[in-house]
Amino acid sequence: MKDKLRQKKWYPYAVAACIAVAFYVILTHLGSITSGLLTFIGYFDTVILGCVIAYIMNPLAMLFERTVFAKVGQGKLKWSLSIGSAVILLILMLGFLLRTLIPQLMDSLIMLVSNMDVYLASLHDLIDKWGLSEVLRSDKLFDSSEDVVRRVQAYFSQNAETLMDASAAAGRSLVKWVIAFVLSVYLLSAKTGIKNGFKHLLSTLMPEKRFNSFVSFISRCDRILVSYIVSSLIDAIIIGIINLIFMSIMGMEYAGLISVVVAVTNLVPTFGPIVGGAVGGLILLLVKPLHAIIFIIFTFILQFIDPYFIKPRLFGNTLGVSGLLIVISVLVCGRMFGVAGILISIPLAAILSFVYKEALLPALERRAARRKAEAVQ
């Protein structure tokens, strides 16, 4: 019956019309559809976050399994020890980061408050030198540290309810992260069973040839993602350490705080280093303008060295994505999904490039060759 319908002359036109109508309905109700999908996904945000954390921790646990616990033998004990070691290492790294960052942040805040009048005087001098005093209204600027305290108190009193809501949201977010982290440990423990279950389900739904192709495709995507995540983290740590060493040698203030900002923003492709350099330069500008200029120049030099010398040795040839595709992917994914979209934009571009080059393009070439052969016959 289906073959008879497909042989009708009107069949392709009917299918095209149905597709066009469906596409029109989706476009006209895109806002409602997107809102509904986001609401539905929101019910599973903790589970999704746990899966993401488990996926990020998995390479570290596998590294422990291959090296430290290589002689333990096979079985659940070896994998459990690897997961426990990965969790402990991550907690120690987080504790070390907080132990290093919080005192630096407190010292920076104390220095900022104690030298507020000096910084404000420097800011007013810069505004006068640059001829911006007429552009910036005086009521938008701080005159002294007492003025700062007075305006901060007024802001807190006027927005107390909003600040309470923000504090409650921050508390809920912290609880969600803790639950997701615990869930990630359970997911890693059950990794083998979950993988085997999905493979068994897909093998029953797909022909053997298509199943093998799909598994190969997923494995390739997994290698791209893992390579990108690990290489990005190592690159951010290297950039942060280099920045810390340079600022310490030059005797710049807020070296630890700014280096952490530079390292974190370096994880965001294309625009992240610009934001990190701008934040660091702005902080140093209030303290010592000369240091701000030196820091910005060093940031430009470091961001020239990073993509041409550091990143190629870390990423190798695993991505192979053109610069234009990366910029387009960052802009589109950032527009659609915000910061999370920016973070996944480069591996997504690499996967799309891989699909195009190794799946879609060969299939189109085979189809074209088959049509040529049929035309010759």
PDB file of all heavy atoms in Angstrom, residues 64-74 78 81:
ATOM      1  N   PHE A  64      42.780   7.669  36.652  1.00  0.00           N
ATOM      2  CA  PHE A  64      43.148   6.947  37.869  1.00  0.00           C
ATOM      3  C   PHE A  64      43.060   5.440  37.656  1.00  0.00           C
ATOM      4  O   PHE A  64      43.906   4.677  38.146  1.00  0.00           O
ATOM      5  CB  PHE A  64      42.229   7.359  39.026  1.00  0.00           C
ATOM      6  CG  PHE A  64      42.650   8.610  39.724  1.00  0.00           C
ATOM      7  CD1 PHE A  64      41.915   9.772  39.596  1.00  0.00           C
ATOM      8  CD2 PHE A  64      43.788   8.628  40.512  1.00  0.00           C
ATOM      9  CE1 PHE A  64      42.302  10.939  40.237  1.00  0.00           C
ATOM     10  CE2 PHE A  64      44.189   9.786  41.164  1.00  0.00           C
ATOM     11  CZ  PHE A  64      43.443  10.949  41.027  1.00  0.00           C
ATOM     12  N   GLU A  65      42.040   4.997  36.912  1.00  0.00           N
ATOM     13  CA  GLU A  65      41.865   3.568  36.670  1.00  0.00           C
ATOM     14  C   GLU A  65      43.017   2.993  35.858  1.00  0.00           C
ATOM     15  O   GLU A  65      43.474   1.873  36.110  1.00  0.00           O
ATOM     16  CB  GLU A  65      40.534   3.333  35.942  1.00  0.00           C
ATOM     17  CG  GLU A  65      40.175   1.866  35.773  1.00  0.00           C
ATOM     18  CD  GLU A  65      38.886   1.693  35.000  1.00  0.00           C
ATOM     19  OE1 GLU A  65      38.615   2.528  34.100  1.00  0.00           O
ATOM     20  OE2 GLU A  65      38.139   0.736  35.274  1.00  0.00           O
ATOM     21  N   ARG A  66      43.518   3.773  34.884  1.00  0.00           N
ATOM     22  CA  ARG A  66      44.596   3.281  34.022  1.00  0.00           C
ATOM     23  C   ARG A  66      45.967   3.370  34.676  1.00  0.00           C
ATOM     24  O   ARG A  66      46.864   2.618  34.291  1.00  0.00           O
ATOM     25  CB  ARG A  66      44.619   4.071  32.708  1.00  0.00           C
ATOM     26  CG  ARG A  66      43.432   3.821  31.805  1.00  0.00           C
ATOM     27  CD  ARG A  66      43.701   4.380  30.413  1.00  0.00           C
ATOM     28  NE  ARG A  66      44.059   5.788  30.459  1.00  0.00           N
ATOM     29  CZ  ARG A  66      43.187   6.777  30.317  1.00  0.00           C
ATOM     30  NH1 ARG A  66      41.910   6.496  30.145  1.00  0.00           N
ATOM     31  NH2 ARG A  66      43.581   8.047  30.356  1.00  0.00           N
ATOM     32  N   THR A  67      46.137   4.270  35.630  1.00  0.00           N
ATOM     33  CA  THR A  67      47.472   4.504  36.190  1.00  0.00           C
ATOM     34  C   THR A  67      47.589   4.029  37.637  1.00  0.00           C
ATOM     35  O   THR A  67      48.253   3.032  37.926  1.00  0.00           O
ATOM     36  CB  THR A  67      47.808   6.003  36.098  1.00  0.00           C
ATOM     37  OG1 THR A  67      46.773   6.766  36.757  1.00  0.00           O
ATOM     38  CG2 THR A  67      47.899   6.457  34.650  1.00  0.00           C
ATOM     39  N   VAL A  68      46.961   4.729  38.548  1.00  0.00           N
ATOM     40  CA  VAL A  68      47.134   4.455  39.978  1.00  0.00           C
ATOM     41  C   VAL A  68      46.619   3.075  40.358  1.00  0.00           C
ATOM     42  O   VAL A  68      47.275   2.335  41.106  1.00  0.00           O
ATOM     43  CB  VAL A  68      46.436   5.545  40.814  1.00  0.00           C
ATOM     44  CG1 VAL A  68      46.591   5.255  42.308  1.00  0.00           C
ATOM     45  CG2 VAL A  68      46.992   6.922  40.474  1.00  0.00           C
ATOM     46  N   PHE A  69      45.451   2.709  39.837  1.00  0.00           N
ATOM     47  CA  PHE A  69      44.829   1.441  40.219  1.00  0.00           C
ATOM     48  C   PHE A  69      44.905   0.403  39.101  1.00  0.00           C
ATOM     49  O   PHE A  69      44.036  -0.467  38.995  1.00  0.00           O
ATOM     50  CB  PHE A  69      43.367   1.676  40.611  1.00  0.00           C
ATOM     51  CG  PHE A  69      43.194   2.679  41.711  1.00  0.00           C
ATOM     52  CD1 PHE A  69      42.689   3.945  41.435  1.00  0.00           C
ATOM     53  CD2 PHE A  69      43.564   2.378  43.009  1.00  0.00           C
ATOM     54  CE1 PHE A  69      42.536   4.881  42.444  1.00  0.00           C
ATOM     55  CE2 PHE A  69      43.417   3.314  44.027  1.00  0.00           C
ATOM     56  CZ  PHE A  69      42.902   4.570  43.746  1.00  0.00           C
ATOM     57  N   ALA A  70      45.935   0.505  38.262  1.00  0.00           N
ATOM     58  CA  ALA A  70      46.059  -0.422  37.134  1.00  0.00           C
ATOM     59  C   ALA A  70      46.260  -1.866  37.596  1.00  0.00           C
ATOM     60  O   ALA A  70      45.825  -2.809  36.928  1.00  0.00           O
ATOM     61  CB  ALA A  70      47.219   0.002  36.237  1.00  0.00           C
ATOM     62  N   LYS A  71      46.911  -2.052  38.731  1.00  0.00           N
ATOM     63  CA  LYS A  71      47.227  -3.406  39.204  1.00  0.00           C
ATOM     64  C   LYS A  71      46.205  -3.948  40.194  1.00  0.00           C
ATOM     65  O   LYS A  71      46.400  -5.047  40.739  1.00  0.00           O
ATOM     66  CB  LYS A  71      48.604  -3.404  39.855  1.00  0.00           C
ATOM     67  CG  LYS A  71      49.728  -3.030  38.904  1.00  0.00           C
ATOM     68  CD  LYS A  71      51.072  -3.071  39.599  1.00  0.00           C
ATOM     69  CE  LYS A  71      52.198  -2.697  38.631  1.00  0.00           C
ATOM     70  NZ  LYS A  71      53.526  -2.725  39.295  1.00  0.00           N
ATOM     71  N   VAL A  72      45.147  -3.202  40.442  1.00  0.00           N
ATOM     72  CA  VAL A  72      44.131  -3.672  41.388  1.00  0.00           C
ATOM     73  C   VAL A  72      43.343  -4.830  40.820  1.00  0.00           C
ATOM     74  O   VAL A  72      42.885  -5.715  41.534  1.00  0.00           O
ATOM     75  CB  VAL A  72      43.185  -2.510  41.767  1.00  0.00           C
ATOM     76  CG1 VAL A  72      42.018  -3.003  42.613  1.00  0.00           C
ATOM     77  CG2 VAL A  72      43.958  -1.445  42.515  1.00  0.00           C
ATOM     78  N   GLY A  73      43.211  -4.883  39.505  1.00  0.00           N
ATOM     79  CA  GLY A  73      42.407  -5.923  38.870  1.00  0.00           C
ATOM     80  C   GLY A  73      41.138  -5.339  38.292  1.00  0.00           C
ATOM     81  O   GLY A  73      40.920  -4.128  38.336  1.00  0.00           O
ATOM     82  N   GLN A  74      40.304  -6.175  37.743  1.00  0.00           N
ATOM     83  CA  GLN A  74      39.063  -5.725  37.138  1.00  0.00           C
ATOM     84  C   GLN A  74      37.923  -5.808  38.159  1.00  0.00           C
ATOM     85  O   GLN A  74      38.022  -6.474  39.179  1.00  0.00           O
ATOM     86  CB  GLN A  74      38.725  -6.571  35.900  1.00  0.00           C
ATOM     87  CG  GLN A  74      39.768  -6.522  34.817  1.00  0.00           C
ATOM     88  CD  GLN A  74      39.929  -5.141  34.206  1.00  0.00           C
ATOM     89  OE1 GLN A  74      38.967  -4.392  34.121  1.00  0.00           O
ATOM     90  NE2 GLN A  74      41.154  -4.813  33.807  1.00  0.00           N
ATOM     91  N   LYS A  78      37.908  -1.619  41.543  1.00  0.00           N
ATOM     92  CA  LYS A  78      38.840  -0.758  40.814  1.00  0.00           C
ATOM     93  C   LYS A  78      38.167   0.533  40.379  1.00  0.00           C
ATOM     94  O   LYS A  78      38.721   1.627  40.549  1.00  0.00           O
ATOM     95  CB  LYS A  78      39.380  -1.520  39.609  1.00  0.00           C
ATOM     96  CG  LYS A  78      40.396  -0.760  38.781  1.00  0.00           C
ATOM     97  CD  LYS A  78      40.895  -1.630  37.642  1.00  0.00           C
ATOM     98  CE  LYS A  78      41.944  -0.907  36.818  1.00  0.00           C
ATOM     99  NZ  LYS A  78      42.462  -1.767  35.715  1.00  0.00           N
ATOM    100  N   LEU A  81      37.299   2.787  43.466  1.00  0.00           N
ATOM    101  CA  LEU A  81      38.479   3.492  43.952  1.00  0.00           C
ATOM    102  C   LEU A  81      38.853   4.656  43.034  1.00  0.00           C
ATOM    103  O   LEU A  81      39.263   5.733  43.498  1.00  0.00           O
ATOM    104  CB  LEU A  81      39.659   2.522  44.068  1.00  0.00           C
ATOM    105  CG  LEU A  81      39.558   1.461  45.172  1.00  0.00           C
ATOM    106  CD1 LEU A  81      40.704   0.469  45.051  1.00  0.00           C
ATOM    107  CD2 LEU A  81      39.559   2.115  46.544  1.00  0.00           C
TER     108      LEU A  81
END
